[in-house]
Amino acid sequence: MMTDITDFFIDEFRKKIGSADDAPRFYRPRPYRNAAVRFRKCSIEDFETRRDILVREAGLNVFLFRADMIPGCDLLSDSGTTTMTMEQWAAMMLGDEAYGSNEGYFELKDQIAETFGPDWVETGTASGGFSESLFLFHQGRAAENAFFTILARELREMPAPTPVLSGGLLPELRERIEARASALPGRKRSIDDSMFIIPSNSHFDTTQGNIEDKRMIPLNLPCREHLEGREDFPFRGNMDLDELENLLSTQKERVPLVYLTITNNTGGGQPVSMENILGIRRITKRHGVPFFFDACRFAENAWFIKRGEKEYAKKSIGEIVHAMFACVDGFHISLKKDGLVNMGGALVIRRGGAFYEKFPGIREGLTDYQIMAEGHPTYGGLPGRDLKAVAEGLRTIVRPDYLDARILQVRGFGARLSEIGIPVIKPVGGHAVYIDLDRFFGDGAVDGDFKGISFAALMLIAGHRVCELGVYAFGSYDGVRENPPVPRVNCIRAAVPRLAYEDRDLSSMVEAAGVLAEHRDRIPAVKVEYGRELSMRHFKSRFAFRK
Ligand SMILES: Cc1ncc(COP(=O)(O)O)c(C=O)c1O
């Protein structure tokens, strides 16, 4: 009798909680609770103070605004903004700060083998000395810089590819390559014999910057469904396989490797399907071109594969991660995202893989670079205690309860913006909500207005920080004319830090965005007061509202 009654109530409670699939349900508790909190130094009411700091000190550039004066959500980045777990803090207390071969290094190698697959690094008795495959850096872009610096050096030693953009290349690809070549920083702004092309679904801005700095051409090949804005398509981060096939069958000597960003940050934080990963694997293998991930948000991508591809529904996140990484010859990762730490990066190259086969000198070059720029290869610019925190972070990040809470929080946030009529890129990705500025402003904005910059500035006055990733961040100025990004990207990104905010914080941001939506015709244009012609200009520029 008693059991029947409690069974009845258990059923009722279960119905209330809903399933973990219900994105917009907010009453399912988080699978963790706050273990420490930080009180704000300022109040949401301090609008005028924020306006003064923003105008006078920061030149309307949200990157230059003091974080301690933000009372709401700081959604500038999900990178390095993680709240670490108690387990990570506890691991840090046990950090070993030996100069060479510290304890954390071995722990991290074991964890990399567990998280990404046993072949990636040496473990157990084979683990003495420093790794042939793992290169540690203080953050992702340092890994990118080392990689492209050493790769460019290796390529200079090899015969130059000919002929320049040989026949058979699709006209739209030729156009895209020439447009990127003409936007290269420096004196010579056209494609020449010695230039190499690095394709990706979409490169992140620092990856693009590092590639261009070595006078290589970053080429984005986002899938059709993404360009067409297909809201019903769950894997808008995919690469266009026909374009990749065309590029490699006509230019493969010009392509040292193919990249895939998982999830695709620049393209709206959209995931890539396993089907697409396997497709790229097939094409690159057939043409003998190595294949790498930019793996910053690998666990979030695996969550989407589990949810969106039937064959993987019953596999664990860990198994899916192994299957994804079995397809690539290497990856770089900013551990500030799915490493669940505040600082750290790595480059991992498969021993005996296609990349090492093609570029045998790269290992020595990378090790020397590390020693010159970061420190001994067994710590790579990171304190030993941080290596322990990364190892612990890589254990936590593949927990299904963590990933459910994380991604459903982001998607619920996107759903609330959408409900009040703010156009967001759909489906909402794993780490951020992207507001589509072209749809938000409609005919009320032209490219030179940079109203996205104003949107972000006004949000900051409201108390929340977001950033423009659009015609300003990804466009360029050649001294006469603005060149908007091709393919076009024009968004505000609201990136949600991991384990940091509650839904009510995000709801407060939604309400502020609602005020801007209601009065969107009053959002002013900006004039660029400094930095319009610079590379990576959105980090450095200063602006003023146009009257
Ligand atoms: C996809 C992607 N690649 C590379 C990076 C660079 O990593 P880091 O910020 O650690 O230098 C980022 C950072 O946001 C990113 O999102």
Side-chain angles (χ1 to χ4, degrees):
M1 176 67 188
M2 186 60 196
T3 318
D4 290 349
I5 289 171
T6 52
D7 279 347
F8 167 79
F9 278 106
I10 287 171
D11 282 349
E12 293 301 302
F13 294 146
R14 188 162 281 131
K15 279 187 230 155
K16 269 278 167 263
I17 287 171
S19 87
D21 293 334
D22 301 333
R25 290 190 189 238
F26 308 125
Y27 45 75
R28 196 181 174 90
R30 298 172 295 163
Y32 51 85
R33 66 176 182 81
N34 301 350
V37 295
R38 174 161 209 166
F39 274 85
R40 313 283 197 181
K41 288 188 180 160
C42 55
S43 149
I44 194 78
E45 311 283 350
D46 297 337
F47 298 107
E48 288 81 4
T49 314
R50 282 193 293 279
R51 181 189 54 200
D52 291 350
I53 297 173
L54 186 62
V55 171
R56 292 208 198 113
E57 291 180 17
L60 300 192
N61 184 333
V62 296
F63 287 92
L64 306 179
F65 187 89
R66 304 172 52 135
D68 60 354
M69 294 305 289
I70 298 172
C73 298
D74 190 351
L75 308 179
L76 185 61
S77 179
D78 65 316
S79 175
T81 52
T82 294
T83 300
M84 290 207 299
T85 64
M86 295 300 277
E87 286 78 6
Q88 286 176 292
W89 286 111
M92 285 185 85
M93 290 300 289
L94 298 172
D96 165 21
E97 302 308 328
Y99 183 87
S101 303
N102 71 85
E103 193 179 291
Y105 179 66
F106 295 99
E107 224 175 286
L108 178 57
K109 280 207 299 184
D110 288 348
Q111 190 55 45
I112 285 176
E114 194 174 321
T115 302
F116 299 105
D119 302 342
W120 279 104
V121 279
E122 318 79 349
T123 52
T125 48
S127 72
F130 53 82
S131 173
E132 276 178 45
S133 51
L134 170 66
F135 303 89
L136 293 170
F137 295 90
H138 73 274
Q139 68 178 95
R141 67 200 65 190
E144 292 166 5
N145 188 270
F147 186 56
F148 290 111
T149 302
I150 305 304
L151 177 61
R153 196 185 297 166
E154 289 287 301
L155 288 168
R156 276 199 299 275
E157 304 293 315
M158 298 170 112
T162 50
V164 177
L165 297 190
S166 53
L169 185 64
L170 289 167
E172 59 268 32
L173 282 187
R174 177 183 294 269
E175 207 176 293
R176 232 181 279 166
I177 291 168
E178 284 170 352
R180 279 253 61 93
S182 71
L184 282 181
R187 280 165 291 126
K188 191 147 182 277
R189 291 168 179 266
S190 61
I191 180 110
D192 66 39
D193 278 356
S194 59
M195 274 183 183
F196 290 89
I197 300 168
I198 315 276
S200 171
N201 46 352
S202 293
H203 289 290
F204 182 65
D205 56 9
T206 60
T207 325
Q208 175 177 316
N210 273 303
I211 292 170
E212 289 182 336
D213 186 58
K214 300 295 168 279
R215 298 199 59 70
M216 298 187 215
I217 298 175
L219 176 67
N220 293 347
L221 307 175
C223 64
R224 295 269 148 233
E225 291 86 348
H226 183 61
L227 296 177
E228 288 162 7
R230 282 264 309 272
E231 298 193 345
D232 60 330
F233 189 65
F235 291 105
R236 283 180 59 177
N238 283 357
M239 182 183 276
D240 188 316
L241 297 187
D242 293 338
E243 288 184 345
L244 180 67
E245 175 60 45
N246 176 262
L247 181 76
L248 296 192
S249 53
T250 59
Q251 318 288 323
K252 74 172 170 224
E253 74 280 25
R254 208 171 263 292
V255 180
L257 78 162
V258 171
Y259 254 96
L260 188 71
T261 311
I262 53 169
T263 55
N264 188 7
N265 189 359
T266 307
Q270 299 288 331
V272 179
S273 69
M274 188 66 96
E275 189 188 356
N276 195 250
I277 295 172
L278 289 167
I280 297 168
R281 180 70 202 145
R282 263 195 308 279
I283 295 172
T284 50
K285 208 166 181 176
R286 183 150 33 80
H287 291 288
V289 176
F291 174 26
F292 271 50
F293 284 148
D294 176 341
C296 296
R297 299 173 181 86
F298 71 94
E300 291 173 6
N301 201 94
W303 184 93
F304 283 102
I305 288 174
K306 185 172 169 65
R307 294 293 172 115
E309 291 183 277
K310 277 197 304 300
E311 313 82 293
Y312 295 92
K314 293 217 158 58
K315 300 241 183 274
S316 70
I317 294 289
E319 286 168 331
I320 296 171
V321 171
H322 281 211
M324 288 159 63
F325 281 77
C327 295
V328 289
D329 303 300
F331 59 97
H332 69 66
I333 180 166
S334 164
L335 296 162
K336 299 166 72 174
K337 286 84 169 171
D338 277 358
L340 217 54
V341 291
N342 305 121
M343 196 50 76
L347 170 67
V348 192
I349 303 177
R350 188 184 288 290
R351 289 168 295 149
F355 190 77
Y356 267 151
E357 215 170 278
K358 198 164 173 182
F359 301 104
I362 206 116
R363 181 186 162 208
E364 215 51 47
L366 283 169
T367 306
D368 291 349
Y369 181 107
Q370 273 185 306
I371 294 169
M372 285 186 292
E374 295 277 334
H376 191 259
T378 56
Y379 71 83
L382 291 166
R385 61 176 76 95
D386 282 20
L387 298 181
K388 292 206 165 220
V390 175
E392 188 56 43
L394 289 176
R395 264 192 284 285
T396 307
I397 203 76
V398 291
R399 283 178 65 132
D401 55 354
Y402 160 77
L403 284 169
D404 283 346
R406 157 78 178 153
I407 298 176
L408 297 179
Q409 180 183 49
V410 174
R411 303 194 106 188
F413 173 39
R416 273 169 285 164
L417 281 164
S418 189
E419 271 159 24
I420 62 162
I422 296 187
V424 301
I425 302 231
K426 285 184 188 163
V428 171
H431 73 287
V433 176
Y434 290 71
I435 297 171
D436 182 335
L437 287 168
D438 288 339
R439 275 156 63 209
F440 181 85
F441 286 112
D443 294 335
V446 290
D447 279 354
D449 282 351
F450 304 125
K451 283 196 178 180
I453 300 292
S454 301
F455 183 110
L458 291 168
M459 280 302 294
L460 198 37
I461 294 173
H464 306 279
R465 179 153 63 173
V466 292
C467 71
E468 192 255 19
L469 285 183
V471 292
Y472 197 76
F474 295 119
S476 60
Y477 182 60
D478 59 18
V480 182
R481 212 169 332 105
E482 269 298 316
N483 300 302
V486 183
R488 189 173 176 84
V489 182
N490 197 20
C491 292
I492 286 289
R493 186 185 72 174
V496 183
R498 292 167 183 76
L499 302 171
Y501 292 111
E502 296 179 16
D503 292 338
R504 67 183 273 179
D505 302 315
L506 296 171
S507 293
S508 157
M509 181 282 183
V510 173
E511 280 168 8
V515 174
L516 293 189
E518 200 180 325
H519 303 288
R520 69 188 85 189
D521 51 323
R522 303 198 60 174
I523 297 177
V526 291
K527 69 171 183 289
V528 187
E529 300 212 308
Y530 168 75
R532 187 170 185 173
E533 69 295 347
L534 300 178
S535 60
M536 291 184 276
R537 58 187 185 171
H538 56 304
F539 293 118
K540 303 179 268 193
S541 292
R542 299 178 77 85
F543 313 89
F545 287 122
R546 280 190 196 276
K547 298 272 182 282

